[in-house]
Amino acid sequence: MPAARAPRRRVVHALGLLVGVLAVLAALAVPFAPVVGERVTVTWPMAGQPPESTVAFVVPYHPDQVHVRVPCEVVRAGQERGESTTLVSSRPPGQPTEGFAVTTAQDHVIALVAGREALRAPIDQACDVAIDGGPSGATARIGDRTGSVQEGMRDIVAFTTDLAPAEAAGTQVEVVTANWFETSPTQGKLLLITLQLVLVAAGFAVLAALDRKRRRDVERPVRRPLHRFLGYGVDLLLVAVLAGWWLLGPNSPDDSFASVTVQNALRTGDIGNYYRWENASEAPFTLVQQLLVPVAEWNQNPLAMRIPSIIAAVLTWLVLSRGVLGAAVPGQHLRPPVRVLAALAFLGWWLPFGMGVRPEAFEALGLTAVLAAALQAARTERRVWLGVAALAAGLSIAVNPMGITTIAPLLVLAPRLWRLAGVGVVAVLAGIASVGVVAMFADQSLFGAAKATDLHGYYGPNVSWFLEVMRWQYLLGFDLQGDVARRAAVLLTLVVAAFSLVVLLRTRREAGLRMAHVPAASLLLSMALMTLTPSKWSHYFGALAGVGAATLTAGAVVIGIAAATASRDRVVLVAGVVATALAGGAAALVFSGKNNWFLHSQYGVPWGEGPVRPLHNPLCWLLIAGLLMAGSALVRRHDDRVRRALIRTPALVCVTAMGVAVTIVLGSFVVAPIRQGDDAYSIGAQGIAAARGGSCGIADQIVVTPDLRALPGGDGAQMAGFTEGSGWAPDSTPPADVPVWGSLTGGQINTGTLATGWFPLPELAPDQELAFAVAGRSGDGNRVALEFSGPEGTREVVLDDTWMDSDERENYPTDHVIEDRPQDHPGFRDFHLSPAQVPPGAERVRITAADTTTDPAGWVAVSGPRLREVIPLTEYMRDRAPTYVDWSMTWNMPCMRDLPKVEDGLVEPPAYLITPPNSMGFGGTAAFERGIGGAFAGVRDVGVQEEIPTRLNGYEKTPEYSEWGHLFEVQYPYPGNRFDVQRVEATRWGWRGE
């Protein structure tokens, strides 16, 4: 019989070789297969209309083609003006341009291309102008003269002219946008994809055929009914915690960004970046976003968009608890304490990294699946498990560059898996893994992915491998990349991994622990492979959530067993002492970070401004380690119980610290809505409101306060040292149409007093308030107050906002004592009084001020009162569109979805901007920066922004949250998008872009 089976096995191996090679070839052909795209041509002026200046934002910045025609009649019309005249330009007249411009000056016509003078000629009988170019260069023609430049035209934000429409008649601009990414597969490409998937299925059939009668008997531990029941209880408890985190948990840094790219894909069919990188596609790493498109089509609320990550969490837990731990520590994984430890470890890794729409949650599922499949293949010697590992690895590569870590388990287990391989098996596995190429290019061409990669590499971040230390700098920093939860997952797991590997090297492994080293070795190798990824953010550690949880759990089990079997090994005892010190130091380092979360998710969270005291002190953890060691020795009575306790202590310290970190994280988001109350914002309250039927997030707690009118009066002010109409910092802009008095006119050491005349006080409606502008120092030695007068006498209300200064709050960390310095606030800011704050019966009001300080910031300026409206932001923004909402905030304002369109290589100019607090710095202005490919850079080039006053309800009790963000109205000098757009479908091969 064996001799008869050998030819059949050779046939199966040969078939596997054929199937695998064909599957790889089919997958490699997918990027080259033809796609259907659109050639988008913009023509100005509109057909049948005279040339009128218009806003036109072209993104990507380099259009494919630009053709400009200016007839001689228009050139002479410019000449007759007798001054320099812009006949046509891609920017407002007079601005320097990297695009094109045709101007007249001193009886000459000049063609400017890509920031250079391409051609200049005197205006004579042959003076018509033509410019033709693209990304690599352009030519200009004036009459019969020609010139050229080697740079491509870019940064087109408008089509403008200085001439009247009748004078500019005949001028024409035609722009073919760089619409590289918005493609769809042809029928031929779909057939090729189907063929590859069929070959993958055939590959699994080949592996199953090779596994016939090769099944290796694996000893299966006996599952006690009680253990089974308790195991299901742990599963249910974990799912309940994940459900609570889904409802109350924070946003990750890129949830808003990623959800908008998916939302825009509903219109364009491409996962473009929308905000930056010139709206380059996310190809080839778009698998997760493509899976999220149906979710966004159903519901774009954050709770709905989080559902896939919750499903990924549950699947990862099942694979971890059954597949990984079942093979790494068989038998032990069924014990209730180990199952509880695994759940704690999983939550410790998943909570800070896994929620939302970032790819790490799905990358973690892929890596955990590869680890489980590889372990099962080594344990059972079944090749089908290798196919599962290849499939999971291939799909993980299509998710994110962190997919490279999926090779770690295969490398660790290579000596065991090698005997299962052969030429046919390797070919089949390559064919199955190549499904990742299909996932990358199913809806994108090779040319589009290459262009997207070029743009991402050009603008970055694209960090070299030798700068991997940056990731650890971020992790150990004090912003949200180095918060308590992230540090706990990584640092505590590394201590357990290192000590458990030392223990395994020193002890003879029991039969059930022959693969206990695999999770730790895979984790360390994965961290080494992370050096090859182009981004160094700490949230990429989230891709290791499953393998990290497995490492902590299996490591603790190994250490616990070693305490009983290696208690007399001096090397293990010394390693235990060192590991205990490292565990205590790691725990102190964990709680030295802040309990910090992204932007508005931070509202109401305890320990957000400083460390978790006293747990940030290493001495505290030295004491905890001593108590844990003593407790372990007392509970288990053996002759060598002290030595055994010493070996257990590193794991006990790390598990305890992880438990405290998880408790703090979960408790924080339960407490945050309670601390904030109903009249202030928290991310948990937003989730609860959304689950009940609707919420606009933080927008529900923001009011807009436009001025209605200034109150008359105020004449006859009594002042000494103050001056009306001056007396404030030169860069400060006071409110218009109200009197203003300041004390800076006499110099910084000037002092003085002010009592304005009386202002008649109208009765305030419920949606109105009084506003007073103040600049300089309102307290800390100075004094500003309001006197209200009425039949019941006078009453004073003091205006002082020194309590909002940043130095009134903890500054952590710092290497010196931070003094509480007097206020230095040179800008004008508004104080407001609601109807309830105005004394009953008051008929008049006046402002009194005293400047009694002489340091450089010790001056004060005040304005007369103004009457303002108080309008909820959601009501104010109704029917005001399109509204740009910054990439950091769309999840905090889920009802603000009337975003500007970014499609066909064009950007719709936004009428309003909602931007984050100034503390976001460069990140909050990314979409407007050409240096990083901001898609809305034209807003700054053409528009003028005017801030509309707003405020966040409840900021008085939490001044650190007072600056929620900003609302701007954008005024453009020209109407927007007044041009014709022609779309023509074109089929092209995958390597071609035209």
Side-chain angles (χ1 to χ4, degrees):
M1 291 297 295
R5 284 199 299 268
R8 288 200 295 268
R9 294 187 67 83
R10 285 196 292 269
V11 170
V12 175
H13 274 282
L15 180 62
L17 177 62
L18 177 63
V19 168
V21 170
L22 290 177
V24 170
L25 292 176
L28 293 178
V30 169
F32 298 90
V35 295
V36 176
E38 283 189 335
R39 178 185 172 94
V40 180
T41 303
V42 175
T43 306
W44 177 83
M46 300 176 72
Q49 300 292 323
E52 294 183 278
S53 298
T54 182
V55 176
F57 298 165
V58 175
V59 174
Y61 298 157
H62 280 292
D64 267 354
Q65 297 179 32
V66 178
H67 306 284
V68 181
R69 299 291 184 268
V70 181
C72 211
E73 295 80 2
V74 176
V75 174
R76 292 196 179 95
Q79 179 188 25
E80 292 172 359
R81 289 168 60 98
E83 59 184 2
S84 296
T85 301
T86 297
L87 307 180
V88 64
S89 177
S90 57
R91 283 205 173 216
Q95 282 192 12
T97 177
E98 296 290 323
F100 60 85
V102 178
T103 66
T104 59
Q106 299 176 348
D107 294 329
H108 282 70
V109 59
I110 307 163
L112 305 173
V113 179
R116 298 191 177 189
E117 182 180 301
L119 190 61
R120 176 191 294 258
I123 300 174
D124 52 25
Q125 289 185 347
C127 61
D128 55 299
V129 182
I131 298 174
D132 299 281
S136 58
T139 60
R141 178 180 58 80
I142 302 176
D144 56 358
R145 301 175 178 86
T146 60
S148 64
V149 295
Q150 300 305 311
E151 290 79 13
M153 287 181 274
R154 56 176 288 149
D155 301 350
I156 296 175
V157 296
F159 304 133
T160 65
T161 178
D162 277 333
L163 299 176
E167 296 175 314
T171 303
Q172 188 172 41
V173 177
E174 183 180 281
V175 175
V176 179
T177 65
N179 192 36
W180 303 313
F181 311 116
E182 297 173 19
T183 60
S184 58
T186 59
Q187 288 296 323
K189 185 170 184 176
L190 290 175
L191 287 174
L192 184 61
I193 293 171
T194 302
L195 172 62
Q196 204 277 338
L197 296 179
V198 169
L199 290 169
V200 167
F204 273 104
V206 169
L207 294 177
L210 290 172
D211 282 339
R212 288 190 64 190
K213 299 192 177 182
R214 184 184 173 85
R215 183 166 185 166
R216 178 182 177 185
D217 292 332
V218 177
E219 183 179 353
R220 297 183 180 276
V222 178
R223 298 192 65 181
R224 300 177 183 176
L226 179 60
H227 286 184
R228 184 191 299 267
F229 176 77
L230 293 176
Y232 290 148
V234 173
D235 293 341
L236 292 175
L237 181 60
L238 182 89
V239 171
V241 172
L242 290 174
W245 195 243
W246 167 74
L247 187 66
L248 303 176
N251 298 341
S252 78
D254 289 326
D255 282 339
S256 294
F257 195 123
S259 66
V260 172
T261 66
V262 173
Q263 175 187 342
N264 206 51
L266 295 175
R267 180 166 50 240
T268 66
D270 172 61
I271 308 294
N273 270 277
Y274 190 83
Y275 290 101
R276 54 169 297 193
W277 287 289
E278 299 187 32
N279 191 38
S281 175
E282 282 284 83
F285 305 109
T286 61
L287 178 57
V288 169
Q289 292 95 323
Q290 294 289 0
L291 295 176
L292 287 167
V293 167
V295 180
E297 194 170 13
W298 164 60
N299 193 325
Q300 295 174 20
N301 187 277
L303 289 184
M305 297 292 286
R306 282 176 169 175
I307 290 175
S309 66
I310 287 292
I311 295 174
V314 174
L315 292 176
T316 305
W317 164 249
L318 293 175
V319 174
L320 164 68
S321 59
R322 274 68 172 175
V324 177
L325 296 179
V329 286
Q332 297 289 333
H333 74 291
L334 298 177
R335 296 175 57 215
V338 175
R339 183 64 64 87
V340 171
L341 172 59
L344 175 65
F346 179 74
L347 290 174
W349 273 90
W350 196 273
L351 296 180
F353 296 113
M355 182 63 70
V357 296
R358 279 199 57 84
E360 283 76 29
F362 308 91
E363 200 67 75
L365 173 59
L367 177 56
T368 308
V370 172
L371 176 60
L375 283 167
Q376 294 297 335
R379 188 182 180 203
T380 64
E381 296 187 355
R382 299 193 67 187
R383 296 180 178 88
V384 167
W385 284 115
L386 290 180
V388 174
L391 179 64
L395 293 176
S396 296
I397 291 291
V399 170
N400 183 271
M402 278 293 290
I404 192 175
T405 60
T406 55
I407 68 173
L410 302 175
L411 293 177
V412 171
L413 287 166
R416 288 176 175 267
L417 301 177
W418 183 253
R419 58 190 172 192
L420 300 178
V423 175
V425 172
V426 171
V428 169
L429 295 179
I432 293 173
S434 65
V435 76
V437 178
V438 175
M440 287 179 170
F441 294 96
D443 195 43
Q444 189 56 263
S445 67
L446 178 65
F447 180 88
K451 278 292 186 180
T453 302
D454 287 345
L455 286 170
H456 280 83
Y458 178 77
Y459 290 111
N462 194 12
V463 186
S464 298
W465 67 268
F466 53 83
L467 291 175
E468 179 66 15
V469 67
M470 291 174 58
R471 196 186 317 271
W472 297 91
Q473 289 174 343
Y474 290 137
L475 183 68
L476 298 178
F478 294 90
D479 62 4
L480 61 94
Q481 288 204 63
D483 57 51
V484 168
R486 295 190 185 205
R487 291 185 182 190
V490 177
L491 299 181
L492 298 174
T493 302
L494 283 177
V495 173
V496 172
F499 185 43
S500 65
L501 288 176
V502 170
V503 167
L504 288 170
L505 289 173
R506 291 292 301 176
T507 58
R508 183 176 63 84
R509 302 182 197 177
E510 299 179 5
L513 298 179
R514 289 172 182 167
M515 291 189 288
H517 69 288
V518 175
S522 299
L523 175 69
L524 298 178
L525 184 54
S526 295
M527 287 185 175
L529 290 170
M530 288 173 70
T531 62
L532 303 179
T533 59
S535 297
K536 303 305 178 185
W537 311 123
S538 69
H539 43 247
Y540 276 52
F541 282 117
L544 310 180
V547 68
T551 298
L552 184 59
T553 306
V557 169
V558 167
I559 293 168
I561 294 174
T565 61
S567 60
R568 298 187 182 279
D569 189 315
R570 293 183 179 179
V571 173
V572 173
L573 289 171
V574 172
V577 173
V578 173
T580 299
L582 290 175
L589 197 56
V590 165
F591 296 104
S592 295
K594 300 177 182 179
N595 187 26
N596 197 14
W597 302 88
F598 183 65
L599 204 57
H600 304 111
S601 296
Q602 182 69 21
Y603 286 15
V605 173
W607 295 294
E609 301 298 324
V612 182
R613 294 186 174 94
L615 298 180
H616 72 306
N617 191 329
L619 295 178
C620 176
W621 285 99
L622 182 62
L623 175 62
I624 292 173
L627 293 174
L628 291 171
M629 180 178 172
S632 177
L634 291 174
V635 168
R636 308 192 181 200
R637 298 182 179 276
H638 297 280
D639 293 339
D640 56 351
R641 58 185 178 181
V642 174
R643 289 191 294 270
R644 293 188 180 195
L646 178 59
I647 295 174
R648 293 190 198 100
T649 300
L652 292 175
V653 171
C654 289
V655 171
T656 300
M658 183 70 84
V660 173
V662 169
T663 302
I664 286 175
V665 169
L666 291 174
S668 295
F669 286 91
V670 172
V671 167
I674 300 172
R675 294 180 73 188
Q676 290 294 91
D678 295 333
D679 59 344
Y681 174 78
S682 69
I683 191 70
Q686 175 181 332
I688 293 170
R692 288 175 175 172
S695 167
C696 200
I698 197 171
D700 291 333
Q701 300 293 345
I702 297 170
V703 293
V704 183
T705 56
D707 284 352
L708 286 175
R709 65 180 187 276
L711 297 188
D715 299 330
Q718 300 174 8
M719 51 188 156
F722 279 76
T723 306
E724 184 173 359
S726 63
W728 52 85
D731 296 333
S732 300
T733 303
D737 303 324
V738 291
V740 184
W741 299 265
S743 67
L744 189 58
T745 305
Q748 295 171 341
I749 65 171
N750 183 61
T751 60
T753 59
L754 167 71
T756 71
W758 291 99
F759 294 86
L761 189 62
E763 184 176 354
L764 299 183
D767 61 347
Q768 295 178 342
E769 65 184 17
L770 283 179
F772 303 81
V774 176
R777 183 173 299 160
S778 63
D780 286 343
N782 291 354
R783 191 173 191 274
V784 179
L786 305 176
E787 283 189 10
F788 291 91
S789 174
E792 299 180 3
T794 62
R795 181 178 172 183
E796 189 176 63
V797 175
V798 176
L799 305 180
D800 185 1
D801 63 350
T802 55
W803 56 276
M804 293 183 62
D805 288 358
S806 59
D807 63 357
E808 298 291 334
R809 301 186 291 277
E810 180 180 14
N811 190 347
Y812 175 81
T814 181
D815 59 354
H816 63 283
V817 176
I818 302 295
E819 298 181 5
D820 186 3
R821 298 178 179 176
Q823 185 184 49
D824 185 1
H825 198 325
F828 277 92
R829 67 272 189 196
D830 281 335
F831 292 79
H832 66 274
L833 276 77
S834 66
Q837 293 172 302
V838 175
E843 298 175 345
R844 300 183 300 169
V845 63
R846 70 175 180 178
I847 305 103
T848 64
D851 174 4
T852 63
T853 55
T854 59
D855 60 282
W859 55 273
V860 64
V862 298
S863 80
R866 302 169 349 255
L867 190 64
R868 297 198 307 197
E869 277 190 288
V870 180
I871 309 171
L873 178 64
T874 51
E875 179 182 331
Y876 183 83
M877 295 306 299
R878 191 174 297 135
D879 300 326
R880 296 174 188 259
T883 300
Y884 164 94
V885 183
D886 189 73
W887 67 268
S888 58
M889 300 175 67
T890 55
W891 265 27
N892 298 107
M893 297 182 171
C895 64
M896 300 288 181
R897 291 293 181 178
D898 199 352
L899 303 177
K901 298 176 184 177
V902 181
E903 59 180 334
D904 296 334
L906 299 167
V907 176
E908 183 180 14
Y912 292 85
L913 312 176
I914 295 179
T915 62
N918 294 334
S919 59
M920 281 283 291
F922 182 71
T925 62
F928 311 110
E929 302 282 350
R930 288 202 179 274
I932 57 173
F936 293 87
V939 171
R940 285 186 173 178
D941 297 334
V942 183
V944 177
Q945 301 175 29
E946 180 179 352
E947 184 164 7
I948 299 171
T950 61
R951 69 167 178 271
L952 180 67
N953 292 331
Y955 76 90
E956 295 86 357
K957 62 182 180 182
T958 52
E960 63 270 27
Y961 309 147
S962 59
E963 190 193 8
W964 69 270
H966 305 275
L967 173 64
F968 294 94
E969 183 176 6
V970 186
Q971 299 290 342
Y972 300 98
Y974 323 110
N977 294 358
R978 299 293 294 273
F979 45 76
D980 288 326
V981 179
Q982 183 184 31
R983 300 171 179 86
V984 178
E985 282 194 354
T987 300
R988 53 180 180 259
W989 289 101
W991 66 86
R992 302 187 65 173
E994 72 277 1

